[in-house]
Amino acid sequence: MEEESGSSKGPVACGSWIRRPEKVNLAVLARSRKKRGDSSSDSSPSVLQIFSFDPKTASLSSSPLTTYVLEEVDGDPVSITVHPSGDEIVCSTTKGGCKLFELVSHDSQTRLLAKELPPLQGAGPLKCIAFSVDGSRFATGGEDGRLRILEWPSLRIILDEPKAHISVRDMDFSLDSEFLASTSTDGAARIWKTEDGAPLTTLTRNSDEKIELCRFSKDGTKPFLFCTVQKGNKAVTGVWDISTWNKIGYKRLLRKPASIMSISLDGKYLALGSKDGDICVVDVKKMEISHTSKRLHLGAGIETLEFCPSERVVLTTTTEWGAVVTKLNVPADWKEWQIYMLLLGMFLASAVVFYIFFENSDSFWKFPNQAAKPKIGTILGDPQSSDDPNVWGPLDM
């Protein structure tokens, strides 16, 4: 059921960016029927809302493009993910399992069309849901520890493991969509092959370590898996080499327990959100912090942290403070036109150097002397004065 009301402010259960053609970005926000932990019922229903994004002001629109009202039997939104094409959205709810929505845009109108997901109806609360990078796989991780991998869009079940974990904490697909990493609330982390769902390995850890969050590198050159690790009272970020699945080191970045982790589409930046509302953004190449936002969601654990597909901004959400779009204080990326101008400048500079070298270097051209060296005009000929019929000149049509 659709409505046209609401704003980008107010409590938000979860959210995600939506990639559209021509580098246009939208955002989907899911709102619960009532605040989590609040025993009093709220009069407003659970909804999904689509907002436009303005890259100039780095902000979401004040009113939604469209609103979809969830049925009461579905419960409240738990998690949400968007297919890489930007055309399909999957939302996990407390009672109705997963619901599929098709994003339809026609004549400047945007709508959400609800569809069924038979394999995941009544699946219960799914804390983690994610599409693979190429969009060919879809995975779910439940609070009951059940892990599923489905082929998309056929929905063929590749893996359905009821006892994959005690309770799934986090998961992520590798860049080539070959592997799925999943973590458990008890600190374990497992790697699965997405082609056939076979378990590949369990990450090694010390007895005092708990692996909590995981993200694969996405830059195409560094085959790493980043994981947040709680070592006693110390929170660190560990790095595993996915060619051997051995840990190669760790570093203290956020310096406090993280509630969520994210990585940019180009793999250049890794982001961590804390349980008290801070975020830090790390340059993956240097493994150094490039941006920090303190008290972005004061006192609240960040539940959504996602990089914009085409801009250096992040979307964060909490139930208490709603959605916030933050522009990152990181070096600007080269624009396409700037690259073309640089190439053109290099070409023109090379042409000037070539001409100067031609005019002043006898030895290079191996001519006997300066007087004998032909001028460029002599080589090309003068079409206005030459009587040679082989020289091209103006044609009278």
Side-chain angles (χ1 to χ4, degrees):
M1 183 170 56
E2 285 189 332
E3 266 183 14
E4 297 296 332
S5 62
S7 70
S8 59
K9 298 180 179 180
V12 174
C14 49
S16 181
W17 291 104
I18 304 174
R19 279 184 282 178
R20 303 305 291 164
E22 305 297 329
K23 292 187 177 181
V24 172
N25 298 296
L26 306 176
V28 56
L29 303 181
R31 304 181 190 276
S32 298
R33 184 169 282 96
K34 60 181 180 180
K35 291 184 179 180
R36 296 177 183 175
D38 190 349
S39 59
S40 62
S41 183
D42 198 308
S43 60
S44 60
S46 296
V47 298
L48 298 185
Q49 296 179 318
I50 307 295
F51 292 87
S52 60
F53 171 71
D54 184 354
K56 294 182 180 180
T57 60
S59 62
L60 301 181
S61 56
S62 58
S63 58
L65 301 176
T66 188
T67 298
Y68 186 93
V69 179
L70 294 172
E71 301 292 337
E72 189 172 352
V73 295
D74 294 325
D76 295 327
V78 175
S79 54
I80 198 165
T81 188
V82 180
H83 190 271
S85 67
D87 296 328
E88 295 170 307
I89 300 169
V90 178
C91 179
S92 167
T93 62
T94 54
K95 298 179 181 178
C98 279
K99 297 188 71 69
L100 172 64
F101 299 90
E102 182 181 357
L103 183 63
V104 179
S105 299
H106 182 68
D107 294 335
S108 300
Q109 298 294 320
T110 301
R111 293 189 302 156
L112 285 173
L113 301 180
K115 295 184 175 182
E116 299 297 332
L117 274 177
L120 298 173
Q121 284 183 335
L126 299 174
K127 179 176 175 58
C128 304
I129 55 176
F131 283 103
S132 62
V133 176
D134 62 4
S136 66
R137 300 286 188 269
F138 177 69
T140 68
E143 295 180 358
D144 59 358
R146 190 169 189 170
L147 185 71
R148 297 177 177 90
I149 302 177
L150 287 78
E151 190 176 67
W152 196 271
S154 69
L155 300 181
R156 179 180 68 87
I157 297 176
I158 300 173
L159 172 69
D160 187 353
E161 177 51 67
K163 298 181 180 179
H165 295 288
I166 292 178
S167 181
V168 178
R169 171 71 184 273
D170 194 20
M171 64 183 187
D172 190 45
F173 282 98
S174 61
L175 178 62
D176 58 6
S177 303
E178 183 178 354
F179 305 113
L180 175 74
S182 62
T183 65
S184 174
T185 53
D186 66 352
R190 302 182 69 180
I191 309 298
W192 311 80
K193 295 181 66 176
T194 62
E195 183 179 4
D196 55 11
L200 183 62
T201 188
T202 298
L203 298 185
T204 57
R205 59 191 174 102
N206 297 329
S207 58
D208 64 337
E209 294 180 338
K210 291 182 66 175
I211 301 174
E212 297 184 334
L213 307 171
C214 60
R215 286 296 180 271
F216 282 97
S217 59
K218 297 292 194 298
D219 62 359
T221 61
K222 302 177 181 65
F224 298 146
L225 174 66
F226 302 102
C227 296
T228 61
V229 181
Q230 195 68 28
K231 294 170 63 69
N233 297 324
K234 185 167 62 173
V236 300
T237 300
V239 183
W240 276 259
D241 184 343
I242 70 173
S243 62
T244 61
W245 302 109
N246 293 326
K247 184 168 65 174
I248 59 177
Y250 64 87
K251 191 168 185 178
R252 296 194 69 182
L253 297 170
L254 188 60
R255 295 184 177 274
K256 59 177 68 176
S259 61
I260 193 166
M261 175 188 274
S262 180
I263 195 161
S264 61
L265 289 180
D266 59 7
K268 291 183 178 180
Y269 294 99
L270 181 74
L272 296 165
S274 75
K275 296 179 180 180
D276 59 0
D278 297 349
I279 68 168
C280 77
V281 178
V282 179
D283 185 324
V284 170
K285 186 176 181 180
K286 301 176 182 178
M287 285 304 287
E288 296 177 354
I289 295 176
S290 297
H291 174 95
T292 302
S293 291
K294 297 288 188 180
R295 297 179 291 279
L296 189 63
H297 295 262
L298 183 60
I302 295 177
E303 298 174 14
T304 297
L305 174 59
E306 191 171 309
F307 286 89
C308 179
S310 60
E311 305 290 333
R312 293 303 184 197
V313 301
V314 294
L315 171 68
T316 54
T317 71
T318 57
T319 303
E320 290 80 358
W321 299 101
V324 176
V325 175
T326 304
K327 188 173 183 179
L328 301 179
N329 184 25
V330 297
D333 294 321
W334 282 75
K335 302 296 184 181
E336 190 172 331
W337 66 269
Q338 292 175 317
I339 297 175
Y340 287 138
M341 288 297 294
L342 176 63
L343 294 175
L344 178 61
M346 293 174 63
F347 174 78
L348 293 176
S350 299
V352 170
V353 171
F354 176 81
Y355 176 76
I356 294 174
F357 206 52
F358 177 83
E359 287 292 316
N360 297 283
S361 179
D362 293 337
S363 60
F364 178 81
W365 298 104
K366 301 187 184 303
F367 293 133
N369 52 57
Q370 181 68 22
K373 187 180 72 172
K375 298 295 184 180
I376 293 181
T378 306
I379 296 175
L380 299 178
D382 185 355
Q384 300 297 327
S385 60
S386 176
D387 295 329
D388 188 347
N390 293 321
V391 177
W392 288 13
L395 295 176
D396 296 326
M397 304 298 292

